[in-house]
């Protein structure tokens, strides 16, 4: 059974700090990795994707991928209260079949 | 990315009834999918809606319970049949948006169903 694991949280960080969200996956054949943000009562919104080992930066967000260790992480710099949401990690093996984690709830404290 | 609209956004349904959820996309897309997100759970793929042919269902989901239509490249429906409280969930339509990753998917606004 292919799995994606995330700590459910909540992860609480003060405003302005760096939030670090982690995700591990079981399928070594996974090729693409995605982070979605889901506000309470809303549908998931794509934040970033990454498919090569290393870091990928987009504004305050940095995705990190380590295929050898089978983990992917999301760093949020200068965290804002508006970043408070559930962050979903998803992986796929080159098809459109995504495997989602259960998400990590982030709370940014003002 | 495409704009994906779903109707209804929310509904409270009686046990034993069926409800059809509509998904409209503002551009033609090849791949459309239906996901379910039960309370406190991850997103689970129900099926891939194929234009011009039967939907492809994932393990644990069957056509009799979740019939799907895909009459054209911009529209799909998902019916939740003979509902029970266990069907209370968010149902999400999604489309493949291409992008550099090739397999990026985007979600509609979701349909929140509560079965009583």
């Amino acid at each position: 059974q292919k799995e994606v694991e995330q700590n459910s949280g909540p992860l609480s960080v003060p405003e302005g700090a760096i939030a670090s969200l982690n995700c591990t996956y079981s399928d070594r054949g996974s090729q693409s990795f995605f982070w979605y943000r889901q506000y309470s009562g809303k549908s998931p919104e794509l934040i970033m994707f990454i498919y090569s080992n290393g870091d990928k930066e987009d504004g305050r967000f940095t995705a990190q991928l380590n295929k050898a260790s089978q983990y992917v992480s999301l760093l949020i710099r200068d965290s804002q209260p508006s970043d408070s949401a559930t962050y979903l990690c998803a992986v796929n093996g080159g098809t459109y079949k995504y495997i989602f984690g259960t998400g990590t709830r982030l709370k940014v404290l003002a | 990315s495409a704009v994906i609209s779903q109707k209804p956004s929310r509904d409270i349904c009686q046990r034993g009834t069926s409800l059809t959820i509509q998904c409209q996309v503002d551009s033609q897309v090849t791949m459309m999918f239906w996901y379910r997100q039960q309370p406190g759970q991850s997103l689970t793929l129900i099926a891939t809606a194929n234009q011009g042919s039967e939907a492809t269902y994932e393990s644990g989901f069957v056509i009799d319970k979740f019939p799907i239509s895909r009459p054209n490249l911009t529209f799909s429906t998902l019916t939740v049949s003979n509902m029970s409280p266990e069907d209370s969930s968010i149902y999400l339509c999604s489309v493949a948006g291409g992008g550099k990753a090739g397999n990026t998917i985007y979600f509609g606004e979701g349909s929140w169903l509560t079965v009583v």
Side-chain angles (χ1 to χ4, degrees), chain A residues 77-91:
Chain A
R77 290 182 299 281
D78 188 24
S79 295
Q80 301 297 309
S82 59
D83 294 325
S84 298
T86 297
Y87 289 80
L88 304 170
C89 173
V91 307

Side-chain angles (χ1 to χ4, degrees), chain A residues 2-110:
Chain A
K2 300 175 183 177
E3 295 183 341
V4 175
E5 300 285 344
Q6 295 181 256
N7 189 316
S8 61
L11 172 67
S12 296
V13 300
E15 183 175 358
I18 296 175
S20 178
L21 305 165
N22 300 311
C23 170
T24 60
Y25 59 95
S26 63
D27 182 13
R28 284 197 173 272
S30 299
Q31 297 182 13
S32 303
F33 307 85
F34 304 82
W35 284 99
Y36 288 82
R37 177 176 61 199
Q38 187 173 26
Y39 291 112
S40 180
K42 300 292 185 182
S43 64
E45 170 193 13
L46 180 69
I47 298 176
M48 292 188 70
F49 62 83
I50 186 169
Y51 55 91
S52 299
N53 276 326
D55 295 0
K56 179 182 178 181
E57 187 174 318
D58 184 1
R60 295 187 297 114
F61 298 96
T62 299
Q64 299 176 318
L65 174 61
N66 185 322
K67 289 186 177 180
S69 301
Q70 295 177 241
Y71 83 77
V72 57
S73 62
L74 179 70
L75 301 179
I76 306 174
R77 290 182 299 281
D78 188 24
S79 295
Q80 301 297 309
S82 59
D83 294 325
S84 298
T86 297
Y87 289 80
L88 304 170
C89 173
V91 307
N92 74 33
T95 68
Y96 290 100
K97 291 188 180 181
Y98 281 42
I99 306 296
F100 281 85
T102 53
T104 298
R105 191 156 63 96
L106 174 67
K107 297 176 69 174
V108 180
L109 308 173

Side-chain angles (χ1 to χ4, degrees), chain B residues 66-84:
Chain B
F66 298 102
I68 288 170
S69 77
R70 178 85 193 272
N72 56 51
L73 292 175
T74 64
F75 187 79
S76 179
T77 67
L78 169 75
T79 299
V80 186
S81 303
N82 187 24
M83 286 186 283
S84 67

Side-chain angles (χ1 to χ4, degrees), chain B residues 2-65:
Chain B
V3 176
I4 308 166
S5 303
Q6 281 186 237
K7 291 193 294 187
S9 58
R10 293 181 184 277
D11 209 339
I12 299 174
C13 308
Q14 295 296 316
R15 184 192 304 248
T17 63
S18 299
L19 182 79
T20 296
I21 303 167
Q22 298 179 3
C23 177
Q24 179 74 54
V25 188
D26 69 344
S27 59
Q28 292 187 341
V29 293
T30 304
M31 308 292 288
M32 292 182 74
F33 312 90
W34 288 98
Y35 280 81
R36 179 175 74 179
Q37 187 178 31
Q38 293 177 304
Q41 301 296 315
S42 175
L43 282 79
T44 302
L45 179 63
I46 297 172
T48 301
N50 302 309
Q51 197 269 329
S53 63
E54 278 196 2
T56 304
Y57 289 85
E58 297 301 307
S59 175
F61 298 96
V62 295
I63 188 171
D64 289 347
K65 177 67 175 177

